[in-house]
PDB file of all heavy atoms in Angstrom:
ATOM      1  N   SER A  58      25.499   2.211   1.036  1.00  0.00           N
ATOM      2  CA  SER A  58      25.053   3.340   1.914  1.00  0.00           C
ATOM      3  C   SER A  58      24.010   2.948   2.919  1.00  0.00           C
ATOM      4  O   SER A  58      23.711   3.756   3.759  1.00  0.00           O
ATOM      5  CB  SER A  58      24.570   4.444   0.982  1.00  0.00           C
ATOM      6  OG  SER A  58      23.452   3.989   0.251  1.00  0.00           O
ATOM      7  N   HIS A  59      23.407   1.782   2.817  1.00  0.00           N
ATOM      8  CA  HIS A  59      22.323   1.334   3.714  1.00  0.00           C
ATOM      9  C   HIS A  59      22.558  -0.130   4.075  1.00  0.00           C
ATOM     10  O   HIS A  59      23.249  -0.841   3.409  1.00  0.00           O
ATOM     11  CB  HIS A  59      20.982   1.485   3.045  1.00  0.00           C
ATOM     12  CG  HIS A  59      20.561   2.869   2.815  1.00  0.00           C
ATOM     13  ND1 HIS A  59      21.043   3.627   1.773  1.00  0.00           N
ATOM     14  CD2 HIS A  59      19.668   3.688   3.518  1.00  0.00           C
ATOM     15  CE1 HIS A  59      20.512   4.859   1.819  1.00  0.00           C
ATOM     16  NE2 HIS A  59      19.668   4.876   2.822  1.00  0.00           N
ATOM     17  N   SER A  60      21.944  -0.508   5.150  1.00  0.00           N
ATOM     18  CA  SER A  60      21.935  -1.916   5.613  1.00  0.00           C
ATOM     19  C   SER A  60      20.553  -2.493   5.360  1.00  0.00           C
ATOM     20  O   SER A  60      19.579  -1.782   5.097  1.00  0.00           O
ATOM     21  CB  SER A  60      22.242  -2.017   7.099  1.00  0.00           C
ATOM     22  OG  SER A  60      21.185  -1.449   7.844  1.00  0.00           O
ATOM     23  N   TRP A  61      20.434  -3.803   5.515  1.00  0.00           N
ATOM     24  CA  TRP A  61      19.106  -4.429   5.384  1.00  0.00           C
ATOM     25  C   TRP A  61      18.181  -4.056   6.521  1.00  0.00           C
ATOM     26  O   TRP A  61      17.026  -4.034   6.418  1.00  0.00           O
ATOM     27  CB  TRP A  61      19.227  -5.973   5.204  1.00  0.00           C
ATOM     28  CG  TRP A  61      19.789  -6.267   3.828  1.00  0.00           C
ATOM     29  CD1 TRP A  61      21.024  -6.740   3.532  1.00  0.00           C
ATOM     30  CD2 TRP A  61      19.115  -6.070   2.595  1.00  0.00           C
ATOM     31  NE1 TRP A  61      21.156  -6.807   2.137  1.00  0.00           N
ATOM     32  CE2 TRP A  61      19.989  -6.407   1.552  1.00  0.00           C
ATOM     33  CE3 TRP A  61      17.831  -5.596   2.253  1.00  0.00           C
ATOM     34  CZ2 TRP A  61      19.678  -6.347   0.199  1.00  0.00           C
ATOM     35  CZ3 TRP A  61      17.506  -5.511   0.880  1.00  0.00           C
ATOM     36  CH2 TRP A  61      18.411  -5.909  -0.118  1.00  0.00           C
ATOM     37  N   ASP A  62      18.793  -3.699   7.661  1.00  0.00           N
ATOM     38  CA  ASP A  62      18.004  -3.153   8.761  1.00  0.00           C
ATOM     39  C   ASP A  62      17.367  -1.800   8.383  1.00  0.00           C
ATOM     40  O   ASP A  62      16.270  -1.521   8.744  1.00  0.00           O
ATOM     41  CB  ASP A  62      18.846  -2.982  10.095  1.00  0.00           C
ATOM     42  CG  ASP A  62      19.107  -4.303  10.747  1.00  0.00           C
ATOM     43  OD1 ASP A  62      18.337  -5.227  10.524  1.00  0.00           O
ATOM     44  OD2 ASP A  62      20.048  -4.358  11.581  1.00  0.00           O
ATOM     45  N   ASP A  63      18.112  -1.011   7.627  1.00  0.00           N
ATOM     46  CA  ASP A  63      17.549   0.250   7.096  1.00  0.00           C
ATOM     47  C   ASP A  63      16.379  -0.064   6.185  1.00  0.00           C
ATOM     48  O   ASP A  63      15.342   0.670   6.205  1.00  0.00           O
ATOM     49  CB  ASP A  63      18.617   1.047   6.325  1.00  0.00           C
ATOM     50  CG  ASP A  63      19.744   1.550   7.177  1.00  0.00           C
ATOM     51  OD1 ASP A  63      19.561   1.834   8.340  1.00  0.00           O
ATOM     52  OD2 ASP A  63      20.896   1.593   6.625  1.00  0.00           O
ATOM     53  N   VAL A  64      16.497  -1.068   5.341  1.00  0.00           N
ATOM     54  CA  VAL A  64      15.432  -1.450   4.453  1.00  0.00           C
ATOM     55  C   VAL A  64      14.170  -1.858   5.241  1.00  0.00           C
ATOM     56  O   VAL A  64      13.059  -1.458   4.973  1.00  0.00           O
ATOM     57  CB  VAL A  64      15.885  -2.598   3.492  1.00  0.00           C
ATOM     58  CG1 VAL A  64      14.661  -3.006   2.618  1.00  0.00           C
ATOM     59  CG2 VAL A  64      17.043  -2.153   2.624  1.00  0.00           C
ATOM     60  N   ARG A  65      14.388  -2.672   6.281  1.00  0.00           N
ATOM     61  CA  ARG A  65      13.248  -3.054   7.157  1.00  0.00           C
ATOM     62  C   ARG A  65      12.616  -1.837   7.787  1.00  0.00           C
ATOM     63  O   ARG A  65      11.379  -1.775   7.848  1.00  0.00           O
ATOM     64  CB  ARG A  65      13.777  -4.025   8.253  1.00  0.00           C
ATOM     65  CG  ARG A  65      14.101  -5.392   7.780  1.00  0.00           C
ATOM     66  CD  ARG A  65      14.592  -6.313   8.871  1.00  0.00           C
ATOM     67  NE  ARG A  65      15.157  -7.530   8.379  1.00  0.00           N
ATOM     68  CZ  ARG A  65      16.436  -7.710   8.084  1.00  0.00           C
ATOM     69  NH1 ARG A  65      17.313  -6.744   8.352  1.00  0.00           N
ATOM     70  NH2 ARG A  65      16.811  -8.891   7.604  1.00  0.00           N
ATOM     71  N   ALA A  66      13.395  -0.907   8.282  1.00  0.00           N
ATOM     72  CA  ALA A  66      12.812   0.300   8.927  1.00  0.00           C
ATOM     73  C   ALA A  66      12.009   1.113   7.899  1.00  0.00           C
ATOM     74  O   ALA A  66      10.918   1.593   8.203  1.00  0.00           O
ATOM     75  CB  ALA A  66      13.936   1.174   9.507  1.00  0.00           C
ATOM     76  N   GLU A  67      12.535   1.231   6.675  1.00  0.00           N
ATOM     77  CA  GLU A  67      11.789   1.949   5.654  1.00  0.00           C
ATOM     78  C   GLU A  67      10.510   1.243   5.276  1.00  0.00           C
ATOM     79  O   GLU A  67       9.524   1.880   4.976  1.00  0.00           O
ATOM     80  CB  GLU A  67      12.689   2.204   4.426  1.00  0.00           C
ATOM     81  CG  GLU A  67      13.869   3.151   4.673  1.00  0.00           C
ATOM     82  CD  GLU A  67      13.541   4.546   5.073  1.00  0.00           C
ATOM     83  OE1 GLU A  67      12.352   4.946   4.900  1.00  0.00           O
ATOM     84  OE2 GLU A  67      14.419   5.255   5.539  1.00  0.00           O
ATOM     85  N   ALA A  68      10.584  -0.115   5.207  1.00  0.00           N
ATOM     86  CA  ALA A  68       9.305  -0.851   4.913  1.00  0.00           C
ATOM     87  C   ALA A  68       8.323  -0.626   5.991  1.00  0.00           C
ATOM     88  O   ALA A  68       7.112  -0.557   5.718  1.00  0.00           O
ATOM     89  CB  ALA A  68       9.677  -2.339   4.768  1.00  0.00           C
ATOM     90  N   CYS A  69       8.768  -0.531   7.214  1.00  0.00           N
ATOM     91  CA  CYS A  69       7.805  -0.202   8.327  1.00  0.00           C
ATOM     92  C   CYS A  69       7.151   1.185   8.106  1.00  0.00           C
ATOM     93  O   CYS A  69       5.974   1.352   8.378  1.00  0.00           O
ATOM     94  CB  CYS A  69       8.481  -0.300   9.664  1.00  0.00           C
ATOM     95  SG  CYS A  69       8.903  -1.952  10.201  1.00  0.00           S
ATOM     96  N   ASP A  70       7.961   2.120   7.626  1.00  0.00           N
ATOM     97  CA  ASP A  70       7.455   3.430   7.365  1.00  0.00           C
ATOM     98  C   ASP A  70       6.365   3.376   6.254  1.00  0.00           C
ATOM     99  O   ASP A  70       5.352   4.037   6.297  1.00  0.00           O
ATOM    100  CB  ASP A  70       8.533   4.382   6.910  1.00  0.00           C
ATOM    101  CG  ASP A  70       9.405   4.851   8.071  1.00  0.00           C
ATOM    102  OD1 ASP A  70       9.050   4.621   9.271  1.00  0.00           O
ATOM    103  OD2 ASP A  70      10.477   5.401   7.786  1.00  0.00           O
ATOM    104  N   VAL A  71       6.602   2.514   5.205  1.00  0.00           N
ATOM    105  CA  VAL A  71       5.614   2.405   4.156  1.00  0.00           C
ATOM    106  C   VAL A  71       4.338   1.810   4.728  1.00  0.00           C
ATOM    107  O   VAL A  71       3.253   2.319   4.423  1.00  0.00           O
ATOM    108  CB  VAL A  71       6.183   1.431   3.029  1.00  0.00           C
ATOM    109  CG1 VAL A  71       5.117   1.062   2.018  1.00  0.00           C
ATOM    110  CG2 VAL A  71       7.357   2.094   2.299  1.00  0.00           C
ATOM    111  N   ILE A  72       4.404   0.741   5.520  1.00  0.00           N
ATOM    112  CA  ILE A  72       3.261   0.120   6.094  1.00  0.00           C
ATOM    113  C   ILE A  72       2.487   1.100   6.982  1.00  0.00           C
ATOM    114  O   ILE A  72       1.272   1.226   6.851  1.00  0.00           O
ATOM    115  CB  ILE A  72       3.661  -1.127   6.889  1.00  0.00           C
ATOM    116  CG1 ILE A  72       4.187  -2.190   5.929  1.00  0.00           C
ATOM    117  CG2 ILE A  72       2.489  -1.667   7.707  1.00  0.00           C
ATOM    118  CD1 ILE A  72       4.974  -3.323   6.576  1.00  0.00           C
ATOM    119  N   THR A  73       3.211   1.831   7.825  1.00  0.00           N
ATOM    120  CA  THR A  73       2.564   2.773   8.715  1.00  0.00           C
ATOM    121  C   THR A  73       1.848   3.899   7.945  1.00  0.00           C
ATOM    122  O   THR A  73       0.743   4.274   8.246  1.00  0.00           O
ATOM    123  CB  THR A  73       3.609   3.353   9.721  1.00  0.00           C
ATOM    124  OG1 THR A  73       4.197   2.307  10.424  1.00  0.00           O
ATOM    125  CG2 THR A  73       2.979   4.347  10.680  1.00  0.00           C
ATOM    126  N   THR A  74       2.549   4.403   6.898  1.00  0.00           N
ATOM    127  CA  THR A  74       1.993   5.464   6.107  1.00  0.00           C
ATOM    128  C   THR A  74       0.702   4.987   5.404  1.00  0.00           C
ATOM    129  O   THR A  74      -0.302   5.688   5.343  1.00  0.00           O
ATOM    130  CB  THR A  74       3.023   6.002   5.119  1.00  0.00           C
ATOM    131  OG1 THR A  74       4.139   6.429   5.879  1.00  0.00           O
ATOM    132  CG2 THR A  74       2.454   7.170   4.299  1.00  0.00           C
ATOM    133  N   GLY A  75       0.713   3.752   4.923  1.00  0.00           N
ATOM    134  CA  GLY A  75      -0.493   3.207   4.317  1.00  0.00           C
ATOM    135  C   GLY A  75      -1.604   3.053   5.277  1.00  0.00           C
ATOM    136  O   GLY A  75      -2.794   3.340   4.999  1.00  0.00           O
ATOM    137  N   MET A  76      -1.358   2.629   6.472  1.00  0.00           N
ATOM    138  CA  MET A  76      -2.346   2.500   7.496  1.00  0.00           C
ATOM    139  C   MET A  76      -2.929   3.831   7.880  1.00  0.00           C
ATOM    140  O   MET A  76      -4.112   3.979   8.116  1.00  0.00           O
ATOM    141  CB  MET A  76      -1.751   1.781   8.707  1.00  0.00           C
ATOM    142  CG  MET A  76      -1.404   0.301   8.444  1.00  0.00           C
ATOM    143  SD  MET A  76      -0.535  -0.495   9.861  1.00  0.00           S
ATOM    144  CE  MET A  76      -1.905  -0.872  10.911  1.00  0.00           C
ATOM    145  N   VAL A  77      -2.063   4.846   7.968  1.00  0.00           N
ATOM    146  CA  VAL A  77      -2.506   6.216   8.323  1.00  0.00           C
ATOM    147  C   VAL A  77      -3.424   6.746   7.186  1.00  0.00           C
ATOM    148  O   VAL A  77      -4.435   7.364   7.427  1.00  0.00           O
ATOM    149  CB  VAL A  77      -1.312   7.126   8.555  1.00  0.00           C
ATOM    150  CG1 VAL A  77      -1.756   8.570   8.610  1.00  0.00           C
ATOM    151  CG2 VAL A  77      -0.592   6.790   9.860  1.00  0.00           C
ATOM    152  N   LEU A  78      -3.085   6.364   5.916  1.00  0.00           N
ATOM    153  CA  LEU A  78      -3.955   6.768   4.811  1.00  0.00           C
ATOM    154  C   LEU A  78      -5.356   6.164   5.036  1.00  0.00           C
ATOM    155  O   LEU A  78      -6.350   6.925   4.896  1.00  0.00           O
ATOM    156  CB  LEU A  78      -3.364   6.256   3.506  1.00  0.00           C
ATOM    157  CG  LEU A  78      -4.276   6.379   2.246  1.00  0.00           C
ATOM    158  CD1 LEU A  78      -4.665   7.875   1.966  1.00  0.00           C
ATOM    159  CD2 LEU A  78      -3.602   5.737   1.069  1.00  0.00           C
ATOM    160  N   LEU A  79      -5.458   4.883   5.360  1.00  0.00           N
ATOM    161  CA  LEU A  79      -6.740   4.321   5.584  1.00  0.00           C
ATOM    162  C   LEU A  79      -7.482   5.005   6.716  1.00  0.00           C
ATOM    163  O   LEU A  79      -8.715   5.325   6.612  1.00  0.00           O
ATOM    164  CB  LEU A  79      -6.610   2.844   5.994  1.00  0.00           C
ATOM    165  CG  LEU A  79      -6.368   1.800   4.909  1.00  0.00           C
ATOM    166  CD1 LEU A  79      -6.244   0.440   5.496  1.00  0.00           C
ATOM    167  CD2 LEU A  79      -7.514   1.860   3.908  1.00  0.00           C
ATOM    168  N   ALA A  80      -6.776   5.349   7.790  1.00  0.00           N
ATOM    169  CA  ALA A  80      -7.425   6.050   8.938  1.00  0.00           C
ATOM    170  C   ALA A  80      -7.884   7.445   8.520  1.00  0.00           C
ATOM    171  O   ALA A  80      -8.961   7.877   8.946  1.00  0.00           O
ATOM    172  CB  ALA A  80      -6.455   6.122  10.084  1.00  0.00           C
ATOM    173  N   ARG A  81      -7.089   8.117   7.759  1.00  0.00           N
ATOM    174  CA  ARG A  81      -7.470   9.486   7.333  1.00  0.00           C
ATOM    175  C   ARG A  81      -8.650   9.489   6.426  1.00  0.00           C
ATOM    176  O   ARG A  81      -9.337  10.547   6.263  1.00  0.00           O
ATOM    177  CB  ARG A  81      -6.293  10.200   6.708  1.00  0.00           C
ATOM    178  CG  ARG A  81      -5.151  10.470   7.682  1.00  0.00           C
ATOM    179  CD  ARG A  81      -4.029  11.287   7.107  1.00  0.00           C
ATOM    180  NE  ARG A  81      -4.322  12.715   7.228  1.00  0.00           N
ATOM    181  CZ  ARG A  81      -3.555  13.682   6.735  1.00  0.00           C
ATOM    182  NH1 ARG A  81      -2.466  13.342   6.059  1.00  0.00           N
ATOM    183  NH2 ARG A  81      -3.911  14.935   6.917  1.00  0.00           N
ATOM    184  N   MET A  82      -8.889   8.388   5.750  1.00  0.00           N
ATOM    185  CA  MET A  82     -10.039   8.315   4.774  1.00  0.00           C
ATOM    186  C   MET A  82     -11.344   8.096   5.482  1.00  0.00           C
ATOM    187  O   MET A  82     -12.440   8.114   4.848  1.00  0.00           O
ATOM    188  CB  MET A  82      -9.764   7.281   3.713  1.00  0.00           C
ATOM    189  CG  MET A  82      -8.597   7.634   2.827  1.00  0.00           C
ATOM    190  SD  MET A  82      -8.310   6.437   1.537  1.00  0.00           S
ATOM    191  CE  MET A  82      -9.631   6.941   0.414  1.00  0.00           C
ATOM    192  N   GLY A  83     -11.351   7.866   6.796  1.00  0.00           N
ATOM    193  CA  GLY A  83     -12.534   7.697   7.544  1.00  0.00           C
ATOM    194  C   GLY A  83     -13.068   6.257   7.563  1.00  0.00           C
ATOM    195  O   GLY A  83     -12.428   5.344   7.049  1.00  0.00           O
ATOM    196  N   GLY A  84     -14.194   6.099   8.146  1.00  0.00           N
ATOM    197  CA  GLY A  84     -14.770   4.761   8.275  1.00  0.00           C
ATOM    198  C   GLY A  84     -14.012   3.993   9.417  1.00  0.00           C
ATOM    199  O   GLY A  84     -13.439   4.623  10.315  1.00  0.00           O
ATOM    200  N   ASP A  85     -13.999   2.714   9.307  1.00  0.00           N
ATOM    201  CA  ASP A  85     -13.331   1.850  10.282  1.00  0.00           C
ATOM    202  C   ASP A  85     -12.138   1.224   9.617  1.00  0.00           C
ATOM    203  O   ASP A  85     -12.274   0.175   8.973  1.00  0.00           O
ATOM    204  CB  ASP A  85     -14.274   0.805  10.829  1.00  0.00           C
ATOM    205  CG  ASP A  85     -13.707  -0.096  11.891  1.00  0.00           C
ATOM    206  OD1 ASP A  85     -12.486  -0.046  12.073  1.00  0.00           O
ATOM    207  OD2 ASP A  85     -14.480  -0.822  12.525  1.00  0.00           O
ATOM    208  N   PRO A  86     -10.915   1.842   9.708  1.00  0.00           N
ATOM    209  CA  PRO A  86      -9.776   1.295   8.990  1.00  0.00           C
ATOM    210  C   PRO A  86      -9.386  -0.082   9.366  1.00  0.00           C
ATOM    211  O   PRO A  86      -8.988  -0.871   8.532  1.00  0.00           O
ATOM    212  CB  PRO A  86      -8.677   2.310   9.337  1.00  0.00           C
ATOM    213  CG  PRO A  86      -9.072   2.988  10.564  1.00  0.00           C
ATOM    214  CD  PRO A  86     -10.582   2.999  10.534  1.00  0.00           C
ATOM    215  N   ARG A  87      -9.589  -0.472  10.634  1.00  0.00           N
ATOM    216  CA  ARG A  87      -9.295  -1.778  11.112  1.00  0.00           C
ATOM    217  C   ARG A  87     -10.123  -2.821  10.363  1.00  0.00           C
ATOM    218  O   ARG A  87      -9.661  -3.766   9.810  1.00  0.00           O
ATOM    219  CB  ARG A  87      -9.482  -1.978  12.615  1.00  0.00           C
ATOM    220  CG  ARG A  87      -9.225  -3.361  13.119  1.00  0.00           C
ATOM    221  CD  ARG A  87      -9.786  -3.587  14.502  1.00  0.00           C
ATOM    222  NE  ARG A  87      -9.439  -2.580  15.458  1.00  0.00           N
ATOM    223  CZ  ARG A  87      -8.452  -2.631  16.363  1.00  0.00           C
ATOM    224  NH1 ARG A  87      -7.763  -3.759  16.445  1.00  0.00           N
ATOM    225  NH2 ARG A  87      -8.228  -1.648  17.172  1.00  0.00           N
ATOM    226  N   ARG A  88     -11.434  -2.525  10.291  1.00  0.00           N
ATOM    227  CA  ARG A  88     -12.358  -3.396   9.608  1.00  0.00           C
ATOM    228  C   ARG A  88     -12.042  -3.491   8.145  1.00  0.00           C
ATOM    229  O   ARG A  88     -12.015  -4.540   7.533  1.00  0.00           O
ATOM    230  CB  ARG A  88     -13.842  -2.992   9.862  1.00  0.00           C
ATOM    231  CG  ARG A  88     -14.836  -4.096   9.328  1.00  0.00           C
ATOM    232  CD  ARG A  88     -16.256  -3.617   9.454  1.00  0.00           C
ATOM    233  NE  ARG A  88     -16.548  -2.816   8.240  1.00  0.00           N
ATOM    234  CZ  ARG A  88     -16.951  -1.548   8.219  1.00  0.00           C
ATOM    235  NH1 ARG A  88     -17.182  -0.924   9.364  1.00  0.00           N
ATOM    236  NH2 ARG A  88     -17.184  -0.906   7.110  1.00  0.00           N
ATOM    237  N   THR A  89     -11.825  -2.341   7.550  1.00  0.00           N
ATOM    238  CA  THR A  89     -11.479  -2.263   6.116  1.00  0.00           C
ATOM    239  C   THR A  89     -10.291  -3.166   5.834  1.00  0.00           C
ATOM    240  O   THR A  89     -10.271  -3.960   4.893  1.00  0.00           O
ATOM    241  CB  THR A  89     -11.256  -0.855   5.683  1.00  0.00           C
ATOM    242  OG1 THR A  89     -12.342  -0.054   5.914  1.00  0.00           O
ATOM    243  CG2 THR A  89     -10.821  -0.757   4.200  1.00  0.00           C
TER     244      THR A  89
END
Side-chain angles (χ1 to χ4, degrees):
S58 59
H59 292 78
S60 69
W61 289 108
D62 284 339
D63 295 327
V64 176
R65 287 180 191 93
E67 294 296 346
C69 288
D70 286 347
V71 170
I72 293 163
T73 302
T74 302
M76 293 171 80
V77 169
L78 171 61
L79 280 179
R81 292 185 87 183
M82 293 182 79
D85 183 347
R87 178 195 311 259
R88 189 185 84 239
T89 300

